[in-house]
Amino acid sequence: MSGDEEAVYRRVLRRETHASRAAAAITVAVVLVVLCAAAGASAVWFLVDATARDRVFAAVSGFDVRARTAPVVAVVGGVVMLLGLWLLLLGVLPGRRARHGRTAGRLAVVTDDGVAADVIADTVAGALAVARDLVHVSVGHRSAVVTITPVSGVAVDEAAARRAASDATSRLGRPLAPRIAVASRGVVA
Amino acid sequence: MNGTNRALNRAVLIVVGCVALAAGLAGVGSAALPAGAAVRDGVATTASRFFDWLPTWQAHLEGLGWGAVPWVLLLVPVAALVLIVLLCLVVAAQGRGRTRDVLRERSAGDDVPGLLAVDVNIASAVIGDTLDGRPDCVGATVSAYRLRGATGGAAMKVTITPRRGADVGRLVDEAARAVGEWDELLGRRLPVLVHLTRGSWSGLRRPSRVT
């Protein structure tokens, strides 16, 4: 793989595994457009229509009273503050998506965590010879938790399960350390 | 894989977030701190003074005395319009970059000038249909995106939905083989991203054993 291609793949994989924040940016933009349009329209209306002017003055006459009332200011300020904090976090946090990217020879491969979980669960269920429905896997960024619901009266071979899970993760090309958990309540086969 | 300007999105969120956070903090602070009462009084007084001041212009407005229009109010629609245009640009910068042409270049020969374009459908027939026909694959689609720094300026994305129980490693190998064939056919090496996804209705699908 040439250096150019490597750089392109690195960029593509980073973009595919991180949120674009498009939805949040569009929402913010649309809300601000509506507010701006309202402000601009009311300013023009205010200029050309005398009755509108009177109505605006009637509406704002209570403003200074409201601005002096601490609870109102606190509640409005608190809501605006939380909204701002949330937007700031959206802007700063990496926004990792539930996917994992790697290069595999000629290709760049992105695997959804759900697909990885399915593969691990299939492998473990096959190795232990239990029904696929009895193996539940949740995959995170660096972890995979395999929960096995035992059949009543049959011991679960945890070492075999761990081996199968490690085998599946290495085939997926993911550096995950699988953790095996056995549910405390079994089911009747 | 699209050309969304992510730095712009984050910049918009950070700027708007900071402004809202600062305004909210000022509000909460003035309500909670003992010194805040004076601040609130100051703001309220300034505001009411502003609202008292506005009607003094009203007299000039009668008979369309446009020269005497309060400049503040003319500034509001202008600023609003500028901001609206900027925000529309932000929205327009989202999600572009999808293209129909996998390859697009001027032909090299001097005697036959022209433009060569290869449609993504051809790539779809070579790569997508090969994978789509497999029993361990629910579906495979090929799409093309314009991409900076890529050969021919485009990259391909192959989205594969494996059937539950499929050997994903073998599916990726198969995709690599199909892409190899495509490379030979095209005579170029485009960046190719393979995306393994679960699909929206995977939970309802029948798992199959593929050996």
Side-chain angles (χ1 to χ4, degrees):
Chain A
M1 193 183 292
S2 67
D4 274 0
E5 196 171 66
E6 219 169 293
V8 165
Y9 277 168
R10 228 188 349 257
R11 198 170 81 233
V12 165
L13 286 176
R14 197 184 55 239
R15 287 178 71 94
E16 284 294 299
T17 50
H18 291 82
S20 71
R21 303 290 190 222
I26 289 173
T27 309
V28 165
V30 168
V31 168
L32 286 183
V33 162
V34 170
L35 289 180
C36 283
S42 45
V44 171
W45 195 14
F46 185 90
L47 281 173
V48 296
D49 185 356
T51 53
R53 240 168 284 153
D54 293 341
R55 231 176 299 151
V56 169
F57 285 129
V60 297
S61 62
F63 175 81
D64 57 335
V65 180
R66 283 199 297 278
R68 276 181 238 267
T69 322
V72 175
V73 175
V75 169
V76 173
V79 170
V80 172
M81 186 181 74
L82 287 180
L83 201 67
L85 188 66
W86 183 55
L87 291 179
L88 191 62
L89 288 178
L90 276 180
V92 174
L93 293 179
R96 221 176 263 126
R97 303 174 78 173
R99 295 171 172 182
H100 180 261
R102 68 195 162 103
T103 52
R106 158 86 178 83
L107 307 171
V109 180
V110 169
T111 313
D112 285 3
D113 283 354
V115 173
D118 275 346
V119 170
I120 295 170
D122 287 335
T123 315
V124 171
L128 296 183
V130 298
R132 170 68 175 73
D133 295 349
L134 298 182
V135 181
H136 183 263
V137 180
S138 69
V139 171
H141 181 53
R142 262 187 279 272
S143 66
V145 180
V146 181
T147 311
I148 303 163
T149 308
V151 173
S152 221
V154 181
V156 171
D157 187 350
E158 283 192 46
R162 194 180 313 273
R163 267 199 309 278
S166 308
D167 175 44
T169 54
S170 65
R171 261 192 296 127
L172 285 162
R174 289 193 64 162
L176 295 172
R179 218 176 65 228
I180 310 292
V182 178
S184 53
R185 292 176 70 91
V187 292
V188 179
Chain B
M1 194 92 165
N2 58 32
T4 299
N5 190 337
R6 297 179 171 213
L8 178 70
N9 283 356
R10 284 176 183 270
V12 167
L13 291 175
I14 289 172
V15 168
V16 175
C18 279
V19 170
L21 188 62
L25 269 179
V28 172
S30 76
L33 300 175
V39 177
R40 282 203 314 281
D41 272 350
V43 171
T45 311
T46 313
S48 58
R49 227 181 261 152
F50 175 71
F51 290 129
D52 288 341
W53 166 78
L54 275 180
T56 61
W57 298 91
Q58 215 167 328
H60 301 283
L61 277 171
E62 313 296 340
L64 220 66
W66 283 104
V69 164
W71 59 271
V72 193
L73 285 185
L74 275 184
L75 216 59
V76 171
V78 172
L81 200 66
V82 170
L83 209 54
I84 285 174
V85 169
L86 288 178
L87 290 167
C88 285
L89 288 179
V90 168
V91 173
Q94 311 292 330
R96 286 186 304 184
R98 186 114 187 225
T99 174
R100 292 221 51 86
D101 297 327
V102 169
L103 187 72
R104 196 176 175 81
E105 59 182 27
R106 305 233 152 256
S107 57
D110 301 329
D111 43 339
V112 198
L115 185 74
L116 173 72
V118 179
D119 197 273
V120 70
N121 277 341
I122 305 173
S124 190
V126 173
I127 303 170
D129 291 359
T130 312
L131 297 167
D132 230 351
R134 290 173 60 87
D136 56 354
C137 179
V138 176
T141 55
V142 179
S143 47
Y145 294 86
R146 280 194 297 277
L147 190 70
R148 267 180 304 124
T151 324
M156 292 196 301
K157 180 178 183 178
V158 183
T159 307
I160 303 175
T161 312
R163 196 173 290 282
R164 272 182 61 186
D167 183 343
V168 171
R170 195 191 297 177
L171 211 48
V172 171
D173 290 344
E174 194 60 33
R177 210 183 50 74
V179 169
E181 274 177 25
W182 168 249
D183 285 345
E184 246 169 70
L185 194 66
L186 190 69
R188 302 275 193 295
R189 228 174 105 113
L190 300 182
V192 178
L193 173 83
V194 171
H195 182 197
L196 293 163
T197 175
R198 202 137 69 144
S200 11
W201 299 100
S202 60
L204 302 176
R205 277 201 194 96
R206 183 171 51 92
S208 74
R209 274 207 190 286
V210 186
T211 49

